[in-house]
Amino acid sequence: VDRLLQVGDGGQDGELTLIDGGDFPVDVSAVVGNSGSMGKVTVDGENSSLMVTTQLNIGNGGVGEMHIQNGGTVTSNLGGINGTTSSTSTVNIDGAGSSWTTNSFSLGNRSTSLNILNGGPYPVPTATLGPGQKQPPQQPSPVKDQSGQLLET
């Protein structure tokens, strides 16, 4: 995709599934769950990958879900999980070898979640978390909230 990938937008739900070595490069940015829609991305299996050059947002005014499992990988320069008071967004990183690698990560308010399951790694060494969020398990480095305060483990 040359510019923007939207999975779920404008009231239309969408789903993208990459399996068995599926490889999907996005040249600029991707939004999963935009503008009152539900978007779901699954990256399943070794050699399956989603590569976003700039920013990957899970939930942006809609419901976003991303499942990275069985050795699937996601990379993005910037990454975030966003929710609203009426919608939730979730990312599951499940299993050793499954990963989301990003240089900067933000986790929104209480209606968002990042689940690290069965040995999956945390995306980045440092992150910004929204109000009500706590540092996830298996976090290798300190995490600060949006005001810059260090969160307790």
Side-chain angles (χ1 to χ4, degrees):
V1 173
D2 284 338
R3 303 227 7 107
L4 173 64
L5 169 68
Q6 294 184 9
V7 181
D9 183 44
Q12 299 292 319
D13 296 345
E15 187 168 351
L16 172 66
T17 302
L18 304 170
I19 57 172
D20 299 328
D23 181 21
F24 198 89
V26 179
D27 191 32
V28 178
S29 61
V31 177
V32 179
N34 198 27
S35 301
S37 302
M38 194 280 187
K40 180 179 178 182
V41 169
T42 301
V43 183
D44 187 353
E46 289 184 27
N47 300 316
S48 296
S49 65
L50 173 63
M51 297 168 291
V52 180
T53 304
T54 305
Q55 186 163 350
L56 172 58
N57 282 322
I58 308 302
N60 186 40
V63 176
E65 283 184 30
M66 184 165 68
H67 304 274
I68 308 165
Q69 57 203 32
N70 300 317
T73 61
V74 173
T75 57
S76 62
N77 185 41
L78 306 171
I81 308 171
N82 308 296
T84 66
T85 55
S86 61
S87 68
T88 61
S89 295
T90 303
V91 171
N92 294 318
I93 303 174
D94 191 353
S98 301
S99 65
W100 180 6
T101 304
T102 183
N103 294 320
S104 179
F105 180 78
S106 69
L107 184 61
N109 61 25
R110 293 178 194 265
S111 62
T112 61
S113 61
L114 171 64
N115 301 307
I116 310 295
L117 309 165
N118 302 311
Y122 189 76
V124 291
T126 60
T128 301
L129 304 183
Q133 293 291 357
K134 296 189 181 203
Q135 186 168 330
Q138 302 178 12
Q139 170 61 25
S141 300
V143 174
K144 297 178 182 180
D145 67 16
Q146 289 177 326
S147 68
Q149 295 295 319
L150 187 65
L151 297 174
E152 296 179 23
T153 56

